[in-house]
Amino acid sequence: MNTPAPKFGYELKATEGKARRGEVTTAHGTFQTPAFMTVGTAGTVKGLTPDQLRLTGAEVVLGNTYHLMLRPTAELVARHGGLHKFMNWPHPILTDSGGYQVMSLSGLRKITEEGVKFQSHIDGSKHNLTPERSMEIQDLLDSNITMVLDECTPYPATHKEAADSMRRSMRWAERCRKAFRNRDGYGLFGIVQGSTYEDLRKESAEALIDIGFEGYAVGGLAVGEGQEVMFEVLDHTVPHLPEDKPRYLMGVGKPADLVGAVARGIDMFDCVLPTRSGRNAQGFTRRGAINMRNKRHQDDHRPIDDQCSCMACTQFSRAYLRHLFIAKEMLGPVLLTIHNLAYYQELMAGMREAIAAGTFAAFQEEFYRLQAGGDI
Ligand SMILES: Cc1cccc2c(=O)nc(N)[nH]c12
Ligand SMILES: [Zn+2]
């Protein structure tokens, strides 16, 4: 007899200024915030087994409606028990709703009031993704956190373009709320749009709160606006979001983006940067970025980061990592992905600890001092 799932929930445990330390409860376990969620687009975090991923400190994995509806289809995943069972990740899963990926990946796409019509980038087949269909797909995937179908307003946008795009996303959010199958341990998150316009971001946040969601994402950022503009948008958007619900900044970001956004009240993040960079020999460390193809590592016995406890840093040298990348060996991308994810999780754990201890301001200073330190 399965024990009944706990209710989906967020508990705020500590704050320092706008920074928050909390915990989210889902049917597949809890996760600590601020959280970095590892991107596992097509049901896999590229190159890593679930055990290796867990060892990096990951608690939440992201899947994508767009990719999984095309291949292997949500219906097949459902026949295999949902995404947790299919990919053997028995911990929280969040899925994005598909609209964002359609706009960045598919051919021949058309946005109408009904939804998004597009051609698959895999085989050219035609699809019609509506708010209702996106909810059905994420339900079939058994996603713990479902994202509403939205349009990520292209950047830059005029005020009118941003207003029209945001208001359609709000109408879609309403349809998603109605179509979402409410059940304990599962949540539906709204996504705030409005580009860089303070009045539109306020209107969007208030519209979503009127509908009511289990969490609120800030969308429409990480679209080329730059860190300064992104932080400005957060400064005038986050204050409109409920204190008792998680806030999720979509698609962000570099380590310094995470620290600055946590300082502005964000709880959850996702970004392909650590995994995509890891596959391309770009490492992240507390002292800044490192290019493992660089000749200076050719005969270097040291690990990537002697303070890191990940498998790459405890078992291998920089010389070996460089060799793997130069020789185009599969193990190179695997090891550097593991290291980058472990570094991101270490950064999040450090922020969680600092907020709980009331030392987040000092943490931020030390973070920026080391990043500027150079000589990694
Ligand atoms: C993944 C991602 C990054 C950046 C922005 C967005 C967005 O606005 N909406 C969705 N659904 N996803 C996003
Ligand atoms: Zn490491």
Side-chain angles (χ1 to χ4, degrees), residues 304-305 308-314 338-340 342:
I304 299 163
D305 181 342
C308 178
S309 59
C310 89
M311 178 192 310
C313 293
T314 52
I338 285 171
H339 166 74
N340 283 351

Side-chain angles (χ1 to χ4, degrees), residues 149-222:
L149 183 69
D150 65 327
E151 181 191 8
C152 173
T153 306
Y155 176 81
T158 64
H159 189 273
K160 176 168 179 2
E161 286 163 344
D164 292 346
S165 168
M166 178 272 287
R167 288 167 187 158
R168 177 168 49 219
S169 290
M170 297 304 104
R171 294 192 293 273
W172 285 359
E174 180 107 55
R175 287 167 55 186
C176 288
R177 181 82 267 179
K178 289 196 175 74
F180 181 74
R181 186 168 65 91
N182 293 303
R183 56 228 194 267
D184 286 346
Y186 293 77
L188 176 64
F189 279 25
I191 304 175
V192 177
Q193 294 291 345
S195 189
T196 55
Y197 301 101
E198 184 163 356
D199 60 328
L200 297 181
R201 286 280 176 181
K202 179 171 183 289
E203 179 186 326
S204 179
E206 289 172 347
L208 295 176
I209 291 165
D210 278 354
I211 299 167
F213 289 95
E214 288 72 70
Y216 295 83
V218 181
L221 292 175

